Each structure stands twice: as structure tokens, then as C-alpha cells.
């Protein structure tokens, strides 16, 4: 701060009001198969209606059970990052228009018209469309927000607009099962002139309008179309009625019977959890999934996926070190099979993952059938409900917070010595109680080494503290490394942990902030926190002394 030497009164405002900002306790992440939606890209899903509108409805035979797990979570907490996964050979449904000439009005002179063409091969990326445009094989391409066969249900109609010159009304229709007439779902007034604007000076260029307002459709226009072409070309010529989009398919996801082929699909799903799928719009991989500085989430859900996918989920959590994996142990018919699966297929030794059993029969309202569903269906809901009604450091297990509703049948009942075996193998079961209903009856991570980190709620609490401190203390990077700064850091960490202790998360804590002479040479400051997370009751011993 410079010194003022000319006579006068000078004021400096200094902000000493810094405080530690709490963060959301739970933000989920999951990869799914679905009938529609943006694919191979991360998107935040905020509600059940958002899930249905964006990704369609669930069908476990066609898309697996991940969609149902996501529905259970977003039905309570509206903060789930989703990736709709498609293989690299899936294609876009498109409507391609190419400029040609014809004597439409029979006046002896040809007019410039646009007619529909069919690409010679499927378009797997936006780059393929750009190639068509660059080679003048197409001048306008309408395409959806994602790839897949579902988008073949869309159709488009262009009619000249009455309110604007050289503008068109773009109607987007969707085919409905049982009806020969599609339903209008979106409508916009657009222009093919890149410089066209409406009365409020908003762009009317079709690319900009659809990018900004449409949840369904996008457009690519050749740069050869300027204001002159937009005024003289007859863009509406191909649209005597609505014209269907075509060419979309889901790639090599399905077998000959139209069912999801996990022998092929598991590779794509595993790559998605590793951030190794390519966004067809940008051509870039989803590398932000593995970087906590790019994407913040605390829980990663399994969706009844094969072991190869579960391995990737655990890898993701161990790479990021800021989130926990909740997994099922596969579909096992007996307790002994579950123990074998844990010891051989899912022998994870980490506190950043937890395993659940068993599959349960529930009624699927979207298909009207009873289906055997992964335990993650119930785990996702119990976790979300506990975070909403209690806090991230409360166990989502037991007859209060671990209740599992809607179960018609358990795959098996856990009885006898298998109960102890499940505990010793860190398998969290769903139990059926004659006087309490069905509930999650375990709070154990996959770590077999005895320690506090064998408890799920302890790990979730520690990850939350880690996340909050890292988020807030970055504001002190490049401050002076002296006692004044250390005291500010210590005071704020103490206040944050004190609030958590008040809310029963911690038994005790101790904070020390310092820098040794060697630390100072490395431009490093150390924040050491010793604490004990409040434990959970697992055993209640009753002694009846009769006198």
C-alpha cells in the first residue's frame, strides 16, 4: 500500500470477514445407459422430471438398472452428475439439406432450392457433419442433442414466417406410439442469415436459436450461406409436410434379440467411469471426471454393473481421493455365493468403497412388471434421504435411516453364521425383520484392516471435512507465510470444526497451523487436524440382573 504524502484524509477498506464456507454434503456421480439424451458428456440432473425429460424412461432390459438408481437419488436430492454412455459407433439421426436448382414456379428460370439428401454413411460425430458442410455435400444439417435410434422419432417442418422477412417458423415434432400424427414439441422463428435479429435485437440465426433455447435439436449451416442466400434460397421447398429425421442408431450395444449386450457394453461403461469416452459434439474425452478441481462430487454409484465396471468405479475414487464408491456385490442367489463374490471378484481393500447385498424384487412402474433390482436402488434412496433429513455423517443404515420400501421379495434371507461372515467380509446386507420391515443392516467399508475407516459414516465425514478445507483454504495461497496468516487459518478451521462438533459429527478436534524453516523454503504451510468422528452403535448389550 502506497503512502499518501499530500495533506488530506484517506480511507482504505480492509476485508477481515473471511469465514469457512460449508459445501453440499452430497453430490452424486453416475454413468447410465438410456434411450435418449446428450451422450458421452457430463450433465447435472436436478429432479425426476429432468431425468425423464432429458434421458427418457427406464427399461432394465434395454438400458440396465443405472437409470433406476439415478431416479431414486434425484427423487430426494437434486444434484447428480450423469453421463449417458454410447459406444463410438453410435450415430446421429439427421436431416440434411443440399442446395440445388429447379424451375419451381415454371417461369422458365431455375430457383435455388434445398432438397433432402441421405448421407452415404452414418454420422458418428459433429466432425463428420462438418466434413459434409465443408465439401458442399450438404448446406444445412439438423441434428439432435445426442446420438441414438430414439431421435429417429423426430421430424421437422419449415414454413415462411409472417412477422419477419427471410425468416421461417421451425416446428419440431415427435412421433407417438399408436398415432400416425406426430406431436408438436417445440417451435421457433429462425433465419438462415447469420446476422438476422428480432425486434429485441436477439439473434434469429437458426444455429444460435436452437443452441440457446432447444432441449432437442441443433443445426449446422454452411458458411457459404450469407444474407443474400438466406433471402433468395427456398429453404422451405423440402417441407410440404413434416420431414422425419433418420440414420440414428445406438451402435453395438444390443444382441440379436434386442437386449443389452453386456459383453460389449461393459467396456464402454467402464471407460465412461474412467473419463475415456469421447464427446461426439466436441471430439474431446471426458477427462474432467477424474479431476476434482474440474468436477466436484462426493459419491459414485454403481448400477448393477459387471465387475469390470465396478473396478473402474473404485479406481476413480482412489484416483480422485475425494469421493466414495457405493457398489453392489453382484446378483447372488445364496449368502455363500455372496461371500465368494466378495473374496474372489470384488476383493477391494479400500475405505473409499462399500459393498451391498442382495438383489430384491420390486415393481417397476415404468414397464408394469416385477423385476429383480440391484440393492443400489435402495442404497441410493437411503443415502439421499439421510443427507437431506440428517447429515452426511449419519449412518444410512438401520431401522430409522436405512429403511427399504417396496420390496416384494429378497433374493435370500441372511441367517445363522452367515451374519458374522458378512460382517467379517465387509458386506452390507439388506435384512428383513418381522417387526421392522426391510432395511440396510451394515455400515462397513471394504477395508478389512480394523480401524475407524471401516465405518462408512466416518469416511464420508472425513471426506466432507477434506473437501471443505481444500475449497476454502485455497484463498490463502500466495498470502504471506507468517504467524498472522496462520492464526487466521487456525481460527477459521476451529470455527468450522466447532460447528461440526456442535452438530454431533465430532467427539473432539485439535488444530495446529505452522511452517518450519524448511517449509518456508518450500513456500509451504502446514495445517494439522487431529479429530475423532462420532461413532455409531452396532451392538447394544442388555444385562438383566434379577434380585
Amino acid at each position: 500500500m502506497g503512502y499518501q504524502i499530500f495533506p488530506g484524509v484517506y480511507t482504505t477498506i480492509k476485508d477481515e470477514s473471511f469465514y469457512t464456507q460449508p459445501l453440499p454434503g452430497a453430490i452424486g456421480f453416475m454413468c447410465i445407459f438410456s434411450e435418449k439424451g446428450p451422450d458421452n458428456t457430463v450433465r447435472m440432473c436436478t429432479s425426476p422430471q429432468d431425468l425423464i425429460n432429458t434421458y427418457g424412461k427406464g427399461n432394465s432390459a434395454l438400458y440396465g438398472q443405472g437409470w433406476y438408481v439415478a431416479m431414486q437419488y434425484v427423487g430426494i436430492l437434486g444434484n447428480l452428475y450423469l453421463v449417458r454412455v454410447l459406444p463410438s459407433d453410435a450415430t446421429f439421426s439427421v436431416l440434411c439439406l443440399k442446395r440445388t436448382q429447379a424451375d419451381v414456379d415454371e417461369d422458365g428460370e431455375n430457383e435455388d432450392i434445398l432438397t433432402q439428401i441421405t448421407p452415404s454413411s452414418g454420422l458418428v460425430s459433429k466432425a463428420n457433419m462438418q466434413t459434409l458442410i465443408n465439401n458442399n455435400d450438404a448446406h444445412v444439417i439438423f441434428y439432435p442433442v445426442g446420438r441414438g435410434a430414439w431421435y429417429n422419432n423426430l421430424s421437422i417442418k419449415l414454413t415462411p414466417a409472417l412477422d419477419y422477412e427471410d425468416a421461417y417458423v421451425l416446428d419440431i415434432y415427435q412421433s407417438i406410439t399408436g398415432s400416425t400424427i406426430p406431436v408438436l414439441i417445440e417451435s421457433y422463428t429462425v433465419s438462415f442469415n447469420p446476422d438476422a435479429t428480432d425486434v429485441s435485437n436477439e439473434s434469429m440465426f437458426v444455429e444460435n436459436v436452437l443452441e440457446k433455447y432447444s432441449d432437442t435439436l441443433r443445426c449446422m449451416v454452411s458458411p457459404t450461406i450469407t444474407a443474400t442466400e438466406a433471402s433468395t434460397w427456398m429453404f422451405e421447398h423440402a417441407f410440404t409436410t413434416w420431414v422425419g429425421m433418420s440414420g440414428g442408431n445406438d451402435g453395438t450395444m444390443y444382441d440379436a434379440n434386442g437386449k443389452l449386450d453386456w459383453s460389449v457394453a461393459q467396456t464402454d461403461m467402464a471407460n465412461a467411469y474412467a473419463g475415456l469416452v469421447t464427446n461426439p459434439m466436441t471430439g474431446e474425452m471426458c477427462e474432467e471426471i477424474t479431476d476434482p478441481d474440474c468436477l466436484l462430487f462426493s459419491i459414485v454409484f454403481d448400477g448393477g454393473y459387471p465387475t469390470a465396471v465396478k473396478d473402474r468405479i473404485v479406481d476413480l475414487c482412489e484416483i480422485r481421493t475425494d469421493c466414495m464408491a457405493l457398489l453392489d456385490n453382484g446378483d447372488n442367489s445364496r449368502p455363500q455365493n455372496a461371500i465368494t463374490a466378495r473374496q474372489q471378484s470384488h476383493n477391494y481393500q479400500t475405505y473409499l468403497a462399500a459393498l451391498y447385498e442382495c438383489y430384491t424384487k420390486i415393481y417397476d412402474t415404468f414397464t408394469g412388471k416385477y423385476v429383480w433390482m440391484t440393492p443400489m436402488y435402495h442404497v441410493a434412496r437411503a443415502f439421499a434421504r439421510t443427507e437431506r433429513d440428517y447429515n452426511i455423517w449419519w449412518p444410512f443404515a438401520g431401522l430409522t435411516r436405512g429403511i427399504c420400501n417396496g420390496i416384494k421379495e429378497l433374493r435370500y434371507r441372511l441367517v445363522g453364521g452367515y451374519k458374522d461372515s458378512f460382517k467379517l467380509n465387509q458386506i452390507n446386507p439388506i435384512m428383513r425383520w418381522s417387526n421392522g420391515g426391510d432395511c440396510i443392516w451394515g455400515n462397513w467399508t471394504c477395508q478389512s484392516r480394523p480401524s475407524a475407516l471401516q465405518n462408512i459414516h466416518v469416511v464420508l465425514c472425513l471426506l466432507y471435512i477434506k473437501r471443505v478445507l481444500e475449497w476454502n483454504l485455497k484463498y490463502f495461497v500466495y498470502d504471506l507465510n507468517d504467524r498472522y496468516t496462520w492464526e487466521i487459518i487456525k481460527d477459521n478451521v476451529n470455527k468450522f470444526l466447532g460447528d461440526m462438533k456442535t452438530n454431533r459429527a465430532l467427539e473432539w478436534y485439535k488444530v495446529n497451523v505452522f511452517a518450519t524453516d524448511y517449509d518456508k523454503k518450500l513456500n509451504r504451510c502446514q495445517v494439522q487436524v487431529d479429530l475423532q468422528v462420532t461413532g455409531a452403535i452396532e451392538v447394544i448389550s442388555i444385562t438383566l440382573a434379577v434380585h
Side-chain angles (χ1 to χ4, degrees):
M1 182 175 65
Y3 291 99
Q4 303 291 346
I5 61 172
F6 191 78
V9 178
Y10 303 93
T11 301
T12 298
I13 296 176
K14 189 175 182 180
D15 187 359
E16 298 287 357
S17 61
F18 180 85
Y19 63 94
T20 301
Q21 172 67 58
L23 297 176
I27 300 175
F29 175 80
M30 190 174 192
C31 299
I32 64 171
F33 294 122
S34 65
E35 65 177 355
K36 64 175 184 173
D39 64 279
N40 294 353
T41 186
V42 182
R43 180 186 179 276
M44 172 65 79
C45 184
T46 58
S47 68
Q49 196 59 48
D50 183 27
L51 180 65
I52 293 173
N53 289 344
T54 305
Y55 297 102
K57 295 181 179 180
N59 186 318
S60 58
L62 293 177
Y63 311 113
Q65 299 186 351
W67 185 95
Y68 294 88
V69 177
M71 175 60 81
Q72 289 290 88
Y73 182 88
V74 298
I76 297 176
L77 294 179
N79 50 7
L80 178 66
Y81 284 113
L82 284 178
V83 177
R84 178 198 176 210
V85 181
L86 277 182
S88 58
D89 59 348
T91 58
F92 280 98
S93 180
V94 294
L95 175 57
C96 297
L97 303 175
K98 183 178 181 180
R99 175 251 186 186
T100 186
Q101 289 187 323
D103 187 7
V104 177
D105 54 9
E106 299 180 350
D107 63 353
E109 295 184 4
N110 288 335
E111 286 79 36
D112 292 307
I113 63 173
L114 272 78
T115 58
Q116 183 181 5
I117 63 164
T118 301
S120 58
S121 60
L123 304 177
V124 301
S125 68
K126 189 176 177 181
N128 293 155
M129 302 179 208
Q130 191 65 59
T131 299
L132 287 179
I133 294 289
N134 293 342
N135 294 338
N136 289 322
D137 294 324
H139 290 91
V140 177
I141 300 177
F142 290 100
Y143 62 98
V145 295
R147 297 176 296 170
W150 184 90
Y151 290 103
N152 295 331
N153 294 318
L154 297 181
S155 54
I156 298 169
K157 186 177 181 181
L158 270 181
T159 54
L162 300 178
D163 299 336
Y164 293 93
E165 187 177 356
D166 303 330
Y168 299 86
V169 175
L170 170 61
D171 293 327
I172 306 171
Y173 296 87
Q174 177 185 331
S175 298
I176 301 297
T177 302
S179 174
T180 58
I181 301 176
V183 175
L184 178 66
I185 58 174
E186 295 179 12
S187 183
Y188 306 98
T189 300
V190 301
S191 173
F192 292 91
N193 177 2
D195 300 320
T197 58
D198 60 17
V199 293
S200 60
N201 208 33
E202 288 282 337
S203 174
M204 292 178 61
F205 185 44
V206 60
E207 288 188 8
N208 298 338
V209 171
L210 293 179
E211 180 72 31
K212 185 174 182 179
Y213 296 108
S214 178
D215 295 326
T216 308
L217 198 65
R218 298 290 181 265
C219 185
M220 185 180 295
V221 179
S222 171
T224 61
I225 299 178
T226 64
T228 301
E229 287 75 19
S231 176
T232 58
W233 289 11
M234 299 175 65
F235 292 89
E236 75 277 13
H237 177 75
F239 298 92
T240 55
T241 183
W242 53 80
V243 178
M245 300 177 66
S246 61
N249 72 69
D250 297 308
T252 51
M253 281 178 52
Y254 299 105
D255 58 23
N257 298 318
K259 299 294 181 67
L260 191 62
D261 185 357
W262 277 111
S263 65
V264 176
Q266 70 173 347
T267 300
D268 297 304
M269 183 63 74
N271 285 339
Y273 276 106
L276 298 178
V277 289
T278 301
N279 184 337
M281 295 291 193
T282 64
E284 298 178 354
M285 289 194 296
C286 300
E287 295 176 333
E288 69 271 21
I289 292 173
T290 60
D291 190 340
D293 290 332
C294 296
L295 209 59
L296 179 67
F297 53 82
S298 53
I299 290 291
V300 183
F301 290 106
D302 177 21
Y305 300 144
T307 296
V309 180
K310 300 183 198 297
D311 293 346
R312 289 288 196 177
I313 295 175
V314 175
D315 288 344
L316 172 63
C317 294
E318 293 191 323
I319 290 170
R320 289 177 56 104
T321 72
D322 70 334
C323 54
M324 187 174 188
L326 301 182
L327 317 167
D328 67 52
N329 192 37
D331 188 4
N332 300 294
S333 59
R334 299 171 53 247
Q336 183 57 54
N337 294 348
I339 294 170
T340 301
R342 163 61 173 146
Q343 294 175 344
Q344 296 181 4
S345 300
H346 307 139
N347 190 24
Y348 310 119
Q349 292 298 319
T350 175
Y351 60 80
L352 292 175
L355 280 173
Y356 290 86
E357 282 276 351
C358 57
Y359 271 57
T360 62
K361 182 180 284 188
I362 64 151
Y363 183 73
D364 178 7
T365 58
F366 295 96
T367 61
K369 300 176 182 178
Y370 281 99
V371 295
W372 285 101
M373 186 66 67
T374 169
M376 297 312 303
Y377 176 86
H378 305 288
V379 171
R381 188 169 185 84
F383 171 81
R385 188 173 54 237
T386 300
E387 158 63 9
R388 181 194 66 186
D389 298 340
Y390 294 84
N391 232 315
I392 192 72
W393 48 83
W394 282 78
F396 53 98
L399 290 167
T400 301
R401 290 171 299 280
I403 289 294
C404 305
N405 294 318
I407 296 179
K408 178 178 176 60
E409 184 180 346
L410 295 174
R411 187 68 89 181
Y412 58 80
R413 297 285 293 271
L414 191 63
V415 296
Y418 284 121
K419 296 177 182 178
D420 288 343
S421 296
F422 267 46
K423 163 70 172 177
L424 293 173
N425 284 278
Q426 304 86 44
I427 304 173
N428 300 287
I430 293 177
M431 296 282 288
R432 171 159 285 182
W433 299 92
S434 58
N435 63 340
D438 304 313
C439 72
I440 300 166
W441 202 251
N443 182 43
W444 314 310
T445 69
C446 290
Q447 177 178 294
S448 60
R449 178 178 179 269
S451 81
L453 297 181
Q454 283 188 304
N455 298 282
I456 294 173
H457 79 287
V458 171
V459 174
L460 291 176
C461 182
L462 290 175
L463 292 179
Y464 176 70
I465 293 172
K466 173 183 183 291
R467 193 159 54 249
V468 171
L469 293 185
E470 289 177 347
W471 179 275
N472 284 275
L473 296 189
K474 69 176 180 288
Y475 291 102
F476 293 95
V477 174
Y478 296 114
D479 275 8
L480 296 178
N481 196 3
D482 60 10
R483 189 167 299 278
Y484 182 84
T485 302
W486 306 341
E487 289 300 321
I488 295 176
I489 294 174
K490 182 177 179 179
D491 179 63
N492 280 278
V493 174
N494 271 318
K495 288 177 179 177
F496 165 67
L497 295 178
D499 184 66
M500 292 196 65
K501 185 175 183 295
T502 301
N503 287 302
R504 303 174 64 188
L506 304 177
E507 294 272 2
W508 58 266
Y509 64 90
K510 180 180 178 182
V511 180
N512 188 23
V513 183
F514 65 94
T516 66
D517 290 339
Y518 185 63
D519 288 329
K520 291 179 179 179
K521 292 180 179 180
L522 298 177
N523 296 325
R524 179 175 63 192
C525 168
Q526 296 196 42
V527 180
Q528 290 188 351
V529 180
D530 295 312
L531 55 81
Q532 181 175 332
V533 178
T534 305
I537 298 172
E538 285 193 1
V539 176
I540 297 177
S541 296
I542 301 175
T543 300
L544 301 178
V546 181
H547 297 280

